[in-house]
Amino acid sequence: MPRGDALDSVPVMGALWRASTRPVGSVRAVTSPDRSVVLTFDDGPLPGSTDGVLASLADAGASATFFVLMTRVRKAPGLLQEIISAGHEVALHGPDHVRLTTLTTRQVVDRTRAAKLELEDRLGRPVRWIRPPYGSQSLRTWSAVRGAGLVPVMWGATTWDWKDITTPQRLEVAMSHLSPGQIVLAHDAIADAEDGADPRVDFPLDRGVFAKQLLAGYHDRGYTVVSLADALARGGRLRSWAWFGR
Ligand SMILES: [Zn+2]
């Protein structure tokens, strides 16, 4: 839990905390004029995995925001174009999966700026958002990525699709606090040592199939699933407050 979030559970204190930290805020939700959630996928693109996620999104008529790693984009540039061609939004997860809080301010600014330019060059359009790996962020790294021209986007709900648990457990955690305008964290891949990520235990998960099950869960509850860009285009507004820690 990011620092300060304990206050969120206390009604008046939570509102005060969110309002007072907006100037140093990260995007954590949107105000939604309808029953929709913002679905996000991190750590891709990965051939054999992201394609399945794209197929499930297309079947459901849903859009999503993909926070990509440049280490992955360089290995699968065609897949990046497929994401865009299918009408989804692409944003930056990072040049790689190193925790920003372990780097100097200069390194964060230079690396983020270079990755943003490289991604924009490949996309032919501007990139607005960054999701720092692990959601790891300090006031110093927040300032650095803002200085590099990007806005941090975190999340309010998770799918636990990086944990070796059952699909019913994943769906239960994803749906347990469902609310309009929620930003949902999912993965079309999982970063590994080649991306500079922490060591992890591998487990089998067909992410295309899981995306289909997740989308069915939202559909059953009357929710539309959209990218952050589409949420704003539909009249949603960004909700930002502090996210520091981890
Ligand atoms: Zn990640």
Side-chain angles (χ1 to χ4, degrees):
M1 182 186 286
R3 267 200 298 282
D5 275 16
L7 293 174
D8 275 356
S9 55
V10 186
V12 176
M13 290 300 287
L16 274 173
W17 166 253
R18 289 192 290 274
S20 63
T21 65
R22 193 171 298 132
V24 291
S26 299
V27 177
R28 300 179 60 158
V30 294
T31 57
S32 179
D34 53 21
R35 274 165 85 85
S36 60
V37 290
V38 174
L39 183 56
T40 67
F41 289 95
D42 289 7
D43 289 18
L46 178 65
S49 185
T50 306
D51 356 30
V53 172
L54 291 175
S56 294
L57 288 166
D59 287 347
S63 63
T65 301
F66 288 79
F67 289 89
V68 299
L69 292 170
M70 297 316 295
T71 43
R72 300 282 176 136
V73 165
R74 290 180 202 123
K75 290 179 194 164
L79 204 43
L80 182 76
Q81 298 306 326
E82 280 182 45
I83 295 172
I84 283 292
S85 302
H88 304 296
E89 182 180 32
V90 170
L92 184 66
H93 198 21
D96 53 30
H97 212 276
V98 170
R99 269 170 219 279
L100 299 187
T101 47
T102 64
L103 302 171
T104 67
T105 303
R106 189 74 258 160
Q107 284 174 318
V108 177
V109 173
D110 290 349
R111 288 162 40 102
T112 304
R113 192 171 281 157
K116 177 178 185 283
L117 286 174
E118 183 184 347
L119 186 55
E120 288 177 338
D121 193 45
R122 288 177 184 271
L123 296 171
R125 63 180 73 179
V127 172
R128 296 179 68 183
W129 325 117
I130 185 170
R131 172 168 289 154
Y134 308 102
S136 176
Q137 181 169 258
S138 64
L139 182 57
R140 185 178 66 80
T141 68
W142 177 91
S143 301
V145 299
R146 291 299 307 258
L150 291 169
V151 175
V153 174
M154 301 303 193
W155 60 89
T158 77
T159 56
W160 276 0
D161 62 351
W162 65 94
K163 293 189 181 189
D164 190 5
I165 57 173
T166 66
T167 294
Q169 286 175 313
R170 289 196 185 99
L171 292 174
E172 188 186 336
V173 76
M175 303 295 159
S176 56
H177 299 290
L178 188 56
S179 64
Q182 197 170 62
I183 298 177
V184 183
L185 170 67
H187 293 79
D188 55 326
I190 294 288
D192 60 24
E194 280 188 45
D195 307 299
D198 295 347
R200 65 183 190 89
V201 179
D202 207 2
F203 60 91
L205 174 63
D206 185 322
R207 294 177 184 277
V209 170
F210 179 61
K212 189 178 271 306
Q213 293 162 328
L214 187 63
L215 290 161
Y218 292 124
H219 181 264
D220 290 348
R221 289 161 180 78
Y223 275 78
T224 309
V225 174
V226 293
S227 66
L228 184 52
D230 284 347
L232 300 181
R234 292 157 64 103
R237 291 200 327 278
L238 301 175
R239 293 187 63 212
S240 304
W241 67 97
W243 173 302
F244 297 119
R246 300 191 186 197

